[in-house]
């Protein structure tokens, strides 16, 4: 296994540690620590991709595993934050709808990838998939930072959370757009589904 693929496997394997830091509220500054772990794991996504392209280490395994590791990390973060963050039933419903949209897109693209692999084609991540991933990871980091600020400084108005909510909404829109583009670009595989 080459180094970029090892980084991808490491990212996926570290998800339980990230969730533990996020969800164990008795850990001091747990939102900050979760943000640092999440940010570090997110950086491995950028590093492994650049390393694979620069050194000619792109493999079908990496093309498949890299997006999967991103999905596991992002979905775990969103579910974990939903558990901690939602204050009202309306907020919970909005978060869950966003998660369902993200999951639906991920299942759709994964199914399309499997069909295309059977046809001898491997669908690598494109720029829209990367935009989707960056907006999701950015939203998570912004939300974690805001939650830590609100925990440290209770005098800050909780309305500050709207910034994180807007970032989350942008990431959901980017998810839908990237899903539609994947479908259009790989329409030949759809007929086989």
């Amino acid at each position: 296994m080459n180094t970029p693929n090892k980084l991808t496997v490491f990212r996926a394997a570290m998800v339980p540690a990230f969730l533990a830091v996020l969800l164990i509220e008795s850990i001091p500054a747990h939102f900050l620590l979760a943000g640092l772990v999440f940010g570090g794991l997110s950086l491995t996504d950028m590093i492994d991709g650049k390393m694979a392209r620069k050194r000619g280490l792109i493999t079908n395994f990496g093309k498949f595993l890299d997006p999967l590791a991103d999905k596991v990390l992002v979905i775990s973060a969103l579910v974990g934050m939903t558990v901690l963050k939602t204050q009202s039933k309306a907020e919970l419903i909005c978060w869950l709808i966003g998660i369902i949209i993200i999951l639906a897109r991920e299942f759709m693209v994964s199914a399309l990838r499997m069909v295309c692999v059977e046809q001898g084609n491997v669908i690598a991540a494109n720029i829209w998939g990367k935009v989707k991933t960056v907006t999701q990871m950015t939203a998570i980091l912004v939300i974690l930072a805001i939650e830590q600020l609100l925990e440290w400084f209770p005098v800050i108005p909780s309305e500050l959370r709207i910034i994180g909510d807007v970032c989350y909404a942008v990431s959901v829109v980017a998810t839908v757009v990237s899903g539609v583009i994947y479908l259009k670009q790989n329409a030949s595989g759809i007929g086989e589904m």
Side-chain angles (χ1 to χ4, degrees):
M1 184 179 300
N2 64 37
T3 302
N5 288 343
K6 287 178 184 175
L7 284 172
T8 301
V9 169
F10 173 77
R11 183 166 65 255
M14 287 298 294
V15 168
F18 160 72
L19 278 175
V21 172
L22 175 64
L23 295 174
I24 300 172
E25 296 180 69
S26 61
I27 296 174
H30 74 106
F31 286 118
L32 174 63
L33 292 174
L36 292 172
V37 172
F38 184 87
L41 295 175
S42 297
L43 279 176
T44 66
D45 180 38
M46 182 182 69
I47 293 167
D48 64 19
K50 284 186 178 184
M51 185 184 298
R53 286 186 294 279
K54 185 176 180 181
R55 296 183 184 174
L57 299 173
I58 296 172
T59 64
N60 286 343
F61 177 75
K63 287 180 188 177
F64 178 76
L65 187 63
D66 184 66
L68 183 63
D70 296 340
K71 292 172 180 112
V72 169
L73 178 61
V74 167
I75 294 299
S76 298
L78 292 174
V79 170
M81 288 190 309
T82 301
V83 168
L84 291 177
K85 180 180 169 337
T86 52
Q87 305 293 320
S88 67
K89 189 172 183 178
E91 187 178 16
L92 176 63
I93 290 168
C94 289
W95 269 80
L96 290 176
I97 288 171
I99 290 171
I100 290 167
I101 289 169
I102 291 169
L103 278 172
R105 183 262 185 211
E106 302 305 349
F107 284 130
M108 178 200 61
V109 170
S110 294
L112 182 59
R113 278 193 169 112
M114 286 190 286
V115 168
C116 288
V117 164
E118 287 179 10
Q119 297 173 350
N121 300 319
V122 174
I123 300 174
N126 64 20
I127 188 67
W128 294 104
K130 292 176 199 265
V131 166
K132 179 257 323 171
T133 300
V134 167
T135 59
Q136 289 173 350
M137 290 179 173
T138 300
I140 290 164
L141 289 170
V142 167
I143 292 164
L144 290 171
I146 290 169
E147 292 302 320
Q148 189 62 67
L149 282 173
L150 292 172
E151 190 175 280
W152 278 343
F153 306 105
V155 294
I156 296 175
S158 62
E159 287 78 18
L160 184 66
R161 286 186 172 113
I162 193 73
I163 296 168
D165 293 339
V166 169
C167 290
Y168 180 53
V170 167
S171 76
V172 172
V173 170
T175 298
V176 171
V177 169
S178 74
V180 169
I181 290 170
Y182 269 102
L183 284 175
K184 288 177 84 172
Q185 288 179 341
N186 299 285
S188 63
I190 297 170
E192 302 293 323
M193 292 175 87

